[in-house]
Amino acid sequence: MKSTAKDVTSYFRGVPEDRFEALDKLRKLCLGTLQGDQECMDYGMPGYKRNGIVEVAFASQKNYISLYILKQDVVSVNRGLLKGLKMGKGCIRYTKPEKLDFGIIKQLLVGTHRSKRQIC
């Protein structure tokens, strides 16, 4: 669901209680891993920009948590680690908060931060 929150802190005020802990951990992982990127609210969800371009974002949707890894090379290299998850071009959908594997997510974030490629 698209949020009308003006900043990430306000976005978290509207996160369902059963997803708050997982999303908070995801946010902290993004902040710690994507050093130098700017945290923002874009497209109604928290995102992380480098050079003014969102490369990573996440959202609490109605039926899942979405993680957007917008560097296609990173998704392609790690596709085998994401088996069993529903995916779009740059969107990984987690149907339950406990399905978020933060080790794999960190690997995706590190790959994104290192990638010199354009977003998809």
Side-chain angles (χ1 to χ4, degrees):
M1 293 190 272
K2 192 172 184 177
S3 173
T4 58
K6 301 291 184 209
D7 57 55
V8 179
T9 300
S10 298
Y11 176 86
F12 270 82
R13 288 189 200 116
V15 167
E17 187 176 325
D18 65 326
R19 295 181 179 182
F20 184 88
E21 186 178 331
L23 288 170
D24 186 53
K25 187 172 181 176
L26 180 57
R27 179 187 188 193
K28 288 175 181 169
L29 186 61
C30 288
L31 289 169
T33 306
L34 302 171
Q35 295 288 317
D37 287 13
Q38 176 189 5
E39 186 177 61
C40 63
M41 280 298 293
D42 236 338
Y43 305 101
M45 66 184 108
Y48 299 87
K49 289 182 179 181
R50 181 169 33 169
N51 299 321
I53 299 169
V54 175
E55 296 182 341
V56 173
F58 62 85
S60 177
Q61 305 291 356
K62 182 177 179 182
N63 296 313
Y64 54 86
I65 293 171
S66 57
L67 172 63
Y68 296 87
I69 301 293
L70 300 175
K71 298 280 186 135
Q72 197 61 47
D73 60 319
V74 175
V75 175
S76 294
V77 167
N78 292 286
R79 192 166 296 279
L81 299 174
L82 303 169
K83 285 188 179 184
L85 298 172
K86 292 185 179 185
M87 295 178 55
K89 188 173 182 180
C91 178
I92 305 162
R93 296 175 191 92
Y94 299 90
T95 54
K96 296 181 180 178
E98 55 272 11
K99 289 193 175 189
L100 277 84
D101 183 322
F102 291 100
I104 292 171
I105 293 170
K106 179 164 180 131
Q107 192 169 326
L108 294 168
L109 296 176
V110 168
T112 297
H113 200 59
R114 290 180 178 163
S115 176
K116 303 294 183 207
R117 301 240 178 143
Q118 298 293 321
I119 64 168
C120 57

Coordinates of all heavy atoms in Angstrom, one line a residue, residues 11-60:
Y11 N 6.5 6.9 8.4 CA 6.0 5.7 7.7 C 5.9 4.6 8.7 O 5.0 3.8 8.7 CB 7.1 5.3 6.6 CG 6.8 4.0 5.9 CD1 5.9 4.0 4.8 CD2 7.3 2.8 6.4 CE1 5.6 2.8 4.2 CE2 7.0 1.6 5.7 CZ 6.2 1.6 4.7 OH 5.9 0.4 4.0
F12 N 6.9 4.5 9.6 CA 6.9 3.4 10.6 C 5.8 3.5 11.6 O 5.4 2.5 12.2 CB 8.3 3.3 11.3 CG 9.2 2.4 10.6 CD1 9.9 2.8 9.5 CD2 9.3 1.1 11.0 CE1 10.8 2.0 8.8 CE2 10.2 0.2 10.3 CZ 10.9 0.6 9.2
R13 N 5.2 4.7 11.8 CA 4.1 4.8 12.7 C 2.8 4.1 12.1 O 1.9 3.7 12.9 CB 3.7 6.3 12.9 CG 4.7 7.0 13.8 CD 4.3 8.4 14.1 NE 5.5 9.2 14.5 CZ 5.9 10.2 13.9 NH1 5.3 10.7 12.9 NH2 7.0 10.8 14.4
G14 N 2.8 3.9 10.8 CA 1.7 3.2 10.2 C 1.9 1.8 9.8 O 1.0 1.1 9.3
V15 N 3.0 1.2 10.2 CA 3.4 -0.2 9.9 C 2.6 -1.1 10.9 O 2.5 -0.8 12.1 CB 4.9 -0.4 10.1 CG1 5.2 -1.9 10.1 CG2 5.6 0.3 9.0
P16 N 2.0 -2.2 10.4 CA 1.3 -3.1 11.2 C 2.2 -3.7 12.3 O 3.4 -3.9 12.0 CB 0.8 -4.2 10.3 CG 0.8 -3.6 8.9 CD 1.9 -2.6 9.0
E17 N 1.7 -3.9 13.5 CA 2.5 -4.3 14.6 C 3.2 -5.6 14.4 O 4.4 -5.7 14.8 CB 1.5 -4.5 15.8 CG 2.3 -4.7 17.1 CD 1.3 -4.8 18.3 OE1 0.3 -4.0 18.3 OE2 1.6 -5.6 19.2
D18 N 2.6 -6.5 13.7 CA 3.2 -7.8 13.4 C 4.4 -7.8 12.4 O 5.1 -8.7 12.3 CB 2.2 -8.9 13.0 CG 1.5 -8.6 11.6 OD1 1.3 -7.4 11.3 OD2 1.2 -9.5 10.9
R19 N 4.5 -6.6 11.8 CA 5.6 -6.5 10.8 C 6.7 -5.5 11.3 O 7.7 -5.3 10.6 CB 5.1 -6.0 9.5 CG 4.2 -7.0 8.8 CD 3.7 -6.5 7.5 NE 2.9 -7.5 6.8 CZ 2.3 -7.3 5.6 NH1 2.6 -6.1 5.0 NH2 1.6 -8.2 5.1
F20 N 6.4 -4.7 12.3 CA 7.2 -3.6 12.8 C 8.7 -4.1 13.0 O 9.6 -3.5 12.5 CB 6.7 -2.9 14.0 CG 7.5 -1.8 14.4 CD1 7.2 -0.5 13.9 CD2 8.5 -1.9 15.3 CE1 8.0 0.6 14.2 CE2 9.3 -0.8 15.7 CZ 9.0 0.4 15.1
E21 N 8.8 -5.2 13.8 CA 10.2 -5.6 14.2 C 11.0 -6.0 13.0 O 12.2 -5.6 12.8 CB 10.1 -6.8 15.1 CG 11.4 -7.3 15.7 CD 11.2 -8.4 16.7 OE1 10.2 -8.5 17.3 OE2 12.2 -9.2 16.7
A22 N 10.4 -6.7 12.0 CA 11.1 -7.2 10.8 C 11.5 -6.0 10.0 O 12.6 -5.9 9.4 CB 10.3 -8.2 10.0
L23 N 10.6 -5.0 9.8 CA 10.8 -3.8 9.0 C 11.9 -2.9 9.6 O 12.7 -2.3 8.9 CB 9.5 -3.1 8.6 CG 8.6 -3.8 7.6 CD1 7.3 -3.2 7.6 CD2 9.3 -3.9 6.3
D24 N 11.8 -2.8 10.9 CA 12.8 -2.0 11.7 C 14.2 -2.6 11.5 O 15.2 -1.9 11.3 CB 12.4 -1.9 13.1 CG 13.3 -0.9 13.9 OD1 13.5 0.2 13.5 OD2 13.8 -1.4 14.9
K25 N 14.3 -3.9 11.6 CA 15.6 -4.6 11.4 C 16.0 -4.4 10.0 O 17.2 -4.2 9.7 CB 15.4 -6.1 11.7 CG 16.7 -6.8 11.7 CD 16.5 -8.2 12.2 CE 17.9 -9.0 12.3 NZ 17.8 -10.3 12.9
L26 N 15.1 -4.5 9.0 CA 15.5 -4.2 7.6 C 16.0 -2.8 7.4 O 17.0 -2.6 6.7 CB 14.3 -4.5 6.7 CG 14.5 -4.3 5.2 CD1 15.6 -5.1 4.7 CD2 13.2 -4.6 4.5
R27 N 15.3 -1.8 8.0 CA 15.8 -0.4 7.9 C 17.2 -0.3 8.5 O 18.0 0.3 7.9 CB 14.8 0.5 8.6 CG 15.2 1.9 8.6 CD 14.3 2.8 9.5 NE 14.6 4.2 9.3 CZ 14.2 5.2 10.1 NH1 13.4 4.9 11.1 NH2 14.5 6.4 9.8
K28 N 17.4 -0.8 9.6 CA 18.7 -0.7 10.3 C 19.8 -1.4 9.4 O 20.9 -0.9 9.3 CB 18.7 -1.3 11.7 CG 17.9 -0.4 12.6 CD 17.7 -1.0 14.0 CE 16.9 -0.1 14.9 NZ 16.5 -0.7 16.1
L29 N 19.5 -2.5 8.8 CA 20.4 -3.2 8.0 C 20.8 -2.3 6.7 O 21.9 -2.2 6.3 CB 19.9 -4.5 7.5 CG 20.8 -5.5 6.7 CD1 22.0 -5.8 7.5 CD2 20.0 -6.7 6.3
C30 N 19.7 -1.7 6.2 CA 20.0 -0.8 5.0 C 20.9 0.4 5.4 O 21.8 0.7 4.7 CB 18.6 -0.3 4.5 SG 17.7 -1.5 3.6
L31 N 20.6 1.0 6.6 CA 21.3 2.1 7.0 C 22.8 1.8 7.3 O 23.7 2.5 7.0 CB 20.7 2.7 8.3 CG 19.4 3.5 8.1 CD1 18.7 3.8 9.4 CD2 19.6 4.8 7.3
G32 N 23.0 0.6 7.9 CA 24.3 0.1 8.2 C 25.1 -0.3 7.0 O 26.4 -0.2 6.9
T33 N 24.5 -0.9 6.0 CA 25.2 -1.4 4.8 C 25.3 -0.5 3.7 O 26.3 -0.5 3.0 CB 24.4 -2.7 4.3 OG1 24.2 -3.6 5.4 CG2 25.1 -3.4 3.2
L34 N 24.3 0.4 3.5 CA 24.4 1.3 2.4 C 25.0 2.7 2.8 O 24.4 3.7 2.6 CB 22.9 1.5 1.8 CG 22.3 0.2 1.3 CD1 20.8 0.4 1.0 CD2 23.0 -0.4 0.2
Q35 N 26.2 2.6 3.4 CA 26.8 3.8 3.9 C 27.0 4.8 2.8 O 27.4 4.5 1.6 CB 28.2 3.4 4.4 CG 28.2 2.5 5.6 CD 27.8 3.2 6.8 OE1 28.2 4.4 7.1 NE2 26.9 2.6 7.6
G36 N 26.6 6.1 3.1 CA 26.7 7.2 2.1 C 25.4 7.4 1.3 O 25.2 8.4 0.6
D37 N 24.5 6.4 1.3 CA 23.2 6.5 0.6 C 22.3 7.4 1.4 O 22.4 7.4 2.6 CB 22.6 5.2 0.3 CG 23.3 4.4 -0.8 OD1 24.4 4.7 -1.1 OD2 22.8 3.3 -1.2
Q38 N 21.4 8.0 0.7 CA 20.4 8.9 1.4 C 19.1 8.2 1.6 O 18.5 7.7 0.7 CB 20.2 10.2 0.6 CG 19.2 11.1 1.1 CD 18.8 12.2 0.2 OE1 19.2 12.2 -1.0 NE2 18.0 13.1 0.6
E39 N 18.7 8.1 2.9 CA 17.4 7.5 3.2 C 16.3 8.5 2.8 O 16.5 9.7 3.0 CB 17.3 7.2 4.7 CG 16.0 6.4 5.0 CD 15.9 6.0 6.4 OE1 15.9 6.9 7.3 OE2 15.8 4.8 6.7
C40 N 15.2 8.0 2.2 CA 14.2 8.9 1.7 C 12.9 8.2 1.7 O 12.8 7.0 1.9 CB 14.5 9.4 0.2 SG 14.6 8.0 -1.0
M41 N 11.8 9.0 1.4 CA 10.5 8.4 1.1 C 10.3 8.7 -0.4 O 10.3 9.9 -0.8 CB 9.4 9.1 1.9 CG 9.3 8.6 3.3 SD 8.8 6.9 3.5 CE 7.2 6.8 2.8
D42 N 10.1 7.7 -1.2 CA 9.9 7.9 -2.6 C 8.9 6.8 -3.0 O 9.0 5.7 -2.6 CB 11.3 7.7 -3.4 CG 11.6 8.9 -4.2 OD1 10.7 9.6 -4.6 OD2 12.8 9.0 -4.6
Y43 N 8.0 7.2 -3.9 CA 7.0 6.2 -4.4 C 6.2 5.6 -3.2 O 5.8 4.5 -3.3 CB 7.7 5.1 -5.2 CG 8.5 5.6 -6.4 CD1 9.9 5.6 -6.3 CD2 7.9 6.0 -7.5 CE1 10.6 6.1 -7.3 CE2 8.6 6.5 -8.6 CZ 10.0 6.6 -8.5 OH 10.8 7.0 -9.5
G44 N 6.1 6.4 -2.1 CA 5.3 6.0 -1.0 C 5.9 4.9 -0.1 O 5.2 4.2 0.6
M45 N 7.2 4.8 -0.2 CA 7.9 3.8 0.6 C 9.3 4.2 0.9 O 9.9 5.1 0.2 CB 8.0 2.4 -0.1 CG 8.8 2.4 -1.4 SD 8.7 0.8 -2.2 CE 7.7 1.3 -3.6
P46 N 9.9 3.7 2.0 CA 11.3 4.0 2.3 C 12.2 3.5 1.2 O 12.1 2.4 0.7 CB 11.6 3.2 3.6 CG 10.2 3.0 4.2 CD 9.3 2.8 3.0
G47 N 13.2 4.4 0.9 CA 14.2 4.0 -0.1 C 15.5 4.6 0.2 O 15.7 5.4 1.2
Y48 N 16.5 4.1 -0.5 CA 17.9 4.5 -0.3 C 18.5 4.9 -1.7 O 18.5 4.1 -2.6 CB 18.7 3.3 0.3 CG 18.0 3.1 1.7 CD1 16.9 2.2 1.8 CD2 18.4 3.8 2.8 CE1 16.3 2.0 3.0 CE2 17.8 3.6 4.0 CZ 16.7 2.7 4.1 OH 16.0 2.5 5.3
K49 N 18.9 6.2 -1.7 CA 19.4 6.8 -3.0 C 20.9 6.9 -3.0 O 21.5 7.3 -1.9 CB 18.8 8.2 -3.1 CG 17.4 8.3 -3.4 CD 17.0 9.8 -3.6 CE 15.5 9.9 -3.9 NZ 15.2 11.4 -4.1
R50 N 21.4 6.7 -4.1 CA 22.8 7.0 -4.4 C 22.9 7.9 -5.6 O 22.3 7.5 -6.6 CB 23.7 5.8 -4.6 CG 25.1 6.1 -4.8 CD 26.1 4.9 -4.7 NE 25.5 3.7 -5.2 CZ 26.2 2.6 -5.5 NH1 27.5 2.6 -5.2 NH2 25.7 1.5 -5.9
N51 N 23.5 9.0 -5.5 CA 23.6 10.0 -6.6 C 22.2 10.4 -7.1 O 22.0 10.5 -8.3 CB 24.4 9.4 -7.7 CG 25.9 9.2 -7.3 OD1 26.4 9.9 -6.6 ND2 26.4 8.1 -7.8
G52 N 21.2 10.5 -6.2 CA 19.9 10.9 -6.5 C 19.0 9.8 -7.1 O 17.9 10.1 -7.4
I53 N 19.5 8.6 -7.1 CA 18.7 7.5 -7.7 C 18.4 6.4 -6.7 O 19.3 5.9 -6.0 CB 19.4 6.9 -8.9 CG1 19.6 7.9 -10.0 CG2 18.6 5.7 -9.5 CD1 20.5 7.5 -11.1
V54 N 17.1 6.1 -6.5 CA 16.8 5.0 -5.6 C 17.3 3.7 -6.1 O 17.0 3.3 -7.2 CB 15.2 5.0 -5.3 CG1 14.9 3.8 -4.5 CG2 14.7 6.2 -4.7
E55 N 18.0 3.0 -5.3 CA 18.6 1.7 -5.7 C 18.0 0.5 -4.8 O 17.9 -0.6 -5.3 CB 20.1 1.6 -5.5 CG 20.8 2.6 -6.5 CD 22.3 2.6 -6.4 OE1 22.8 2.1 -5.3 OE2 22.9 3.0 -7.3
V56 N 17.5 0.9 -3.6 CA 16.9 -0.1 -2.7 C 15.6 0.6 -2.1 O 15.7 1.7 -1.8 CB 17.8 -0.5 -1.6 CG1 17.2 -1.4 -0.6 CG2 19.1 -1.2 -2.2
A57 N 14.6 -0.2 -1.9 CA 13.4 0.3 -1.2 C 12.7 -0.9 -0.6 O 12.9 -2.1 -1.0 CB 12.5 1.0 -2.2
F58 N 11.8 -0.6 0.3 CA 10.9 -1.7 0.9 C 9.6 -1.1 1.3 O 9.4 0.1 1.4 CB 11.6 -2.4 2.1 CG 11.9 -1.5 3.3 CD1 10.9 -1.2 4.2 CD2 13.2 -0.9 3.4 CE1 11.2 -0.4 5.3 CE2 13.5 -0.1 4.5 CZ 12.5 0.2 5.4
A59 N 8.6 -2.0 1.4 CA 7.3 -1.5 1.8 C 6.5 -2.7 2.5 O 6.7 -3.8 2.2 CB 6.5 -1.0 0.6
S60 N 5.6 -2.3 3.3 CA 4.6 -3.2 3.9 C 3.4 -3.1 3.0 O 2.7 -2.1 3.0 CB 4.3 -2.8 5.3 OG 3.3 -3.6 5.9

